[in-house]
Amino acid sequence: MINFKTIIRIIGILLLLETVMFLVCSGVSFYYRESDMLDFWKAGGITAGVGLLLAALGKGGERQLTRRDGYVLVSFAWVAFSLFGMLPFYIGGYIPDIANAFFETMSGFSSTGATILDDIESLPHGILFWRSMTQWIGGLGIIMFTIAVLPIFGVSGLQVFAAEASGPTHDKVHPRIGITAKWIWSIYAGITALLVGLLMLGGMDWFDSICHAFATTGTGGFSTKQASVAYYNSPYIEYVISIFMFISGINFTLLLLFVNRKFKKFIGNAELKFYFGSVVLFTAVIAIVLYYTSPMGMEESFRKSLFQVISLQTSTGFATDDYMQWTPVLWGLLTIIMLMGACAGSTTGGLKCIRMVILTKVSRNEFKHILHPLGLCVAFKQFSLMQNAVRFASAFILLTEPPIENGVLLFLACHCNLLFCGASRYGTASIPQRLPQVYQIFMRCALPFPVSRRCRRSACPSALRRALLGTQT
């Protein structure tokens, strides 16, 4: 049974926290003496009323959440936050259509960065601040914030953490998940504050610095300027934002290890190596192509390439140049970067590098298995490649690959008249038909020998060694 009372109570508490955020934005409006302050008060009053009602209705619920409760809470929390978060846009008439207002708000909280606005600079400062804050709150996750405050109300956040985590593995650096969430949020806030200071040194005013810092660390890409970061025409600002976009694309658990001076674990992480290597490789290739195919100089080619590669790989979406004017061969590279994404456990989107690492290791081991049928497949150097991680990665890729490729085909059909290039690829192949075959390949590669139930359930290295050696216990 789903514990609806506890879920309703937590959502009510979240709405009360959203009311506080409205009041902060109204303070910005008061500072600039703009009329949207009343819009935030109206939105805050409605949100606070519903939040208090839900918190009262949820009294008496159980203090423990199951995994099912965690998934239900995560789903409803995102929708509830967006529904009430659109009120300042709608009440003030800045986005008069409900669907568009909800789209803009959901785009912010999900750090997607898509917008329906075509005259951003005409909006009042309070609305712009709220628009940027949605990406900062949604970047690391509304639910991660919830986990940090759940212990205050005697509710466990472990299942919520499992439902919110974006990668195939859920890392904890402290036995109490609430403390882990607080540490991660502290690092998140610290990175944001540091970026605000550096942007102000580059010539931005305090308002634009805060808004762009929110959008950078949240990897959302909402800007206060219609031309995005290109408006400032500042190499310093571009380099600073590039560095912090890259940092925001790193797993925050790894950043916590770095802060705790566990540099060996930080540097030796397989996903971080893949992430750094992909940025270096694509930046170098695109910079060289730009240097020889555009009027840009060497430094400008490198700077534009670095910024756009990191911006797209972290799904931030900031722009300093119109890359659709670049040579077409670069469009394909930028598409690959965008789909690949950065690290799991960060604020970014995409498939995530850890899944790319898993698939790379699995593919390499499969080729080794073909060449040496009696040989052993080598697991990760950093951690054992267990069945669940491979299963989750393969299922995720198979679920996302057909929509992505069909979208690419649609783009080609609309813009390049090349529909015939691959229209028949998915004519008869569906996910249920392909999943068993690919799953068997992955499982044979990850654990190529028979494994007993006891070994499957054990995560200790000795059990994995026994499994790989074919020892039955």
Side-chain angles (χ1 to χ4, degrees), residues 129-146:
F129 191 84
W130 170 241
R131 188 168 172 265
S132 299
M133 182 180 282
T134 58
Q135 295 201 319
W136 192 72
I137 296 296
L140 193 56
I142 299 168
I143 307 304
M144 284 296 291
F145 183 76
T146 308

Side-chain angles (χ1 to χ4, degrees), residues 87-264:
L87 291 178
F89 296 115
Y90 183 71
I91 293 175
Y94 308 106
I95 305 179
D97 184 75
I98 292 180
N100 286 341
F102 181 79
F103 177 90
E104 190 76 14
T105 309
M106 180 59 81
S107 176
F109 280 124
S110 61
S111 68
T112 303
T115 182
I116 53 90
L117 299 172
D118 56 4
D119 190 9
I120 296 171
E121 295 173 44
S122 65
L123 297 175
H125 289 79
I127 291 294
L128 290 175
F129 191 84
W130 170 241
R131 188 168 172 265
S132 299
M133 182 180 282
T134 58
Q135 295 201 319
W136 192 72
I137 296 296
L140 193 56
I142 299 168
I143 307 304
M144 284 296 291
F145 183 76
T146 308
I147 294 168
V149 299
L150 280 180
I152 300 175
F153 304 96
V155 179
S156 172
L158 180 59
Q159 301 303 334
V160 183
F161 175 78
E164 175 68 3
S166 59
T169 58
H170 310 145
D171 299 326
K172 294 191 300 180
V173 294
H174 192 277
R176 299 179 63 181
I177 192 64
I179 294 179
T180 301
K182 290 176 183 177
W183 285 350
I184 291 176
W185 262 103
S186 299
I187 294 173
Y188 190 52
I191 293 174
T192 305
L194 179 60
L195 178 55
V196 170
L198 292 175
L199 290 177
M200 291 181 69
L201 290 176
M204 279 193 187
D205 59 34
W206 70 269
F207 178 80
D208 285 349
S209 297
I210 293 175
C211 289
H212 282 87
F214 282 169
T216 300
T217 53
T219 60
F222 278 166
S223 175
T224 57
K225 306 299 180 182
Q226 193 70 36
S228 189
V229 179
Y231 170 87
Y232 300 96
N233 193 25
S234 170
Y236 170 84
I237 290 177
E238 292 177 23
Y239 279 122
V240 168
I241 291 180
S242 297
I243 293 171
F244 278 82
M245 283 192 298
F246 179 83
I247 293 173
S248 299
I250 299 175
N251 189 323
F252 274 85
T253 305
L254 285 179
L255 292 178
L256 185 55
L257 293 176
F258 182 84
V259 171
N260 291 334
R261 299 182 180 181
K262 297 181 180 179
F263 302 120
K264 188 174 182 180

Side-chain angles (χ1 to χ4, degrees), residues 443-463:
M443 288 302 100
R444 186 176 68 171
C445 177
L447 292 175
F449 296 97
V451 185
S452 67
R453 289 184 178 178
R454 181 178 176 185
C455 287
R456 285 194 185 103
R457 293 177 181 174
S458 176
C460 65
S462 59

Side-chain angles (χ1 to χ4, degrees), residues 46-101:
I46 296 172
T47 306
V50 176
L52 289 172
L53 177 62
L54 293 179
L57 292 175
K59 282 187 176 180
E62 297 181 9
R63 294 183 178 273
Q64 293 295 326
L65 293 173
T66 64
R67 182 174 291 269
R68 180 180 297 179
D69 295 336
Y71 283 108
V72 173
L73 173 59
V74 167
S75 302
F76 278 96
W78 283 102
V79 175
F81 238 65
S82 298
L83 279 173
F84 288 91
M86 74 175 186
L87 291 178
F89 296 115
Y90 183 71
I91 293 175
Y94 308 106
I95 305 179
D97 184 75
I98 292 180
N100 286 341

Side-chain angles (χ1 to χ4, degrees), residues 162-424:
E164 175 68 3
S166 59
T169 58
H170 310 145
D171 299 326
K172 294 191 300 180
V173 294
H174 192 277
R176 299 179 63 181
I177 192 64
I179 294 179
T180 301
K182 290 176 183 177
W183 285 350
I184 291 176
W185 262 103
S186 299
I187 294 173
Y188 190 52
I191 293 174
T192 305
L194 179 60
L195 178 55
V196 170
L198 292 175
L199 290 177
M200 291 181 69
L201 290 176
M204 279 193 187
D205 59 34
W206 70 269
F207 178 80
D208 285 349
S209 297
I210 293 175
C211 289
H212 282 87
F214 282 169
T216 300
T217 53
T219 60
F222 278 166
S223 175
T224 57
K225 306 299 180 182
Q226 193 70 36
S228 189
V229 179
Y231 170 87
Y232 300 96
N233 193 25
S234 170
Y236 170 84
I237 290 177
E238 292 177 23
Y239 279 122
V240 168
I241 291 180
S242 297
I243 293 171
F244 278 82
M245 283 192 298
F246 179 83
I247 293 173
S248 299
I250 299 175
N251 189 323
F252 274 85
T253 305
L254 285 179
L255 292 178
L256 185 55
L257 293 176
F258 182 84
V259 171
N260 291 334
R261 299 182 180 181
K262 297 181 180 179
F263 302 120
K264 188 174 182 180
K265 289 185 178 181
F266 177 82
I267 297 174
N269 182 265
E271 184 182 24
L272 180 60
K273 290 179 180 178
F274 185 93
Y275 175 44
F276 179 78
S278 63
V279 169
V280 171
L281 175 63
F282 283 105
T283 298
V285 172
I286 294 176
I288 292 172
V289 175
L290 283 178
Y291 180 72
Y292 285 103
T293 60
S294 71
M296 299 181 190
M298 183 176 297
E299 186 277 332
E300 186 180 5
S301 298
F302 170 77
R303 172 163 43 88
K304 300 293 185 183
S305 173
L306 176 68
F307 190 95
Q308 294 304 154
V309 165
I310 299 178
S311 178
L312 290 178
Q313 185 160 358
T314 59
S315 70
T316 303
F318 279 142
T320 58
D321 197 30
D322 185 3
Y323 46 80
M324 294 306 296
Q325 301 300 320
W326 295 355
T327 181
V329 70
L330 298 182
W331 300 351
L333 295 179
L334 293 176
T335 302
I336 293 172
I337 296 166
M338 184 169 51
L339 297 178
M340 191 163 55
C343 298
S346 66
T347 63
T348 61
L351 296 176
K352 302 295 189 302
C353 288
I354 184 62
R355 295 187 177 95
M356 300 296 102
V357 174
I358 290 175
L359 294 180
T360 301
K361 298 285 186 179
V362 163
S363 301
R364 187 182 68 179
N365 287 345
E366 178 63 17
F367 279 112
K368 287 184 177 180
H369 186 80
I370 293 173
L371 296 174
H372 308 285
L374 301 180
L376 291 177
C377 287
V378 182
F380 275 129
K381 182 179 180 181
Q382 179 186 358
F383 58 92
S384 301
L385 183 60
M386 302 304 289
Q387 280 183 312
N388 285 342
V390 179
R391 186 178 74 247
F392 291 155
S394 59
F396 187 91
I397 297 295
L398 287 171
L399 288 171
T400 55
E401 180 189 3
I404 290 171
E405 294 197 8
N406 289 335
V408 172
L409 291 177
L410 181 61
F411 172 81
L412 293 175
C414 295
H415 298 278
C416 302
N417 296 321
L418 294 176
L419 180 61
F420 62 88
C421 289
S424 64

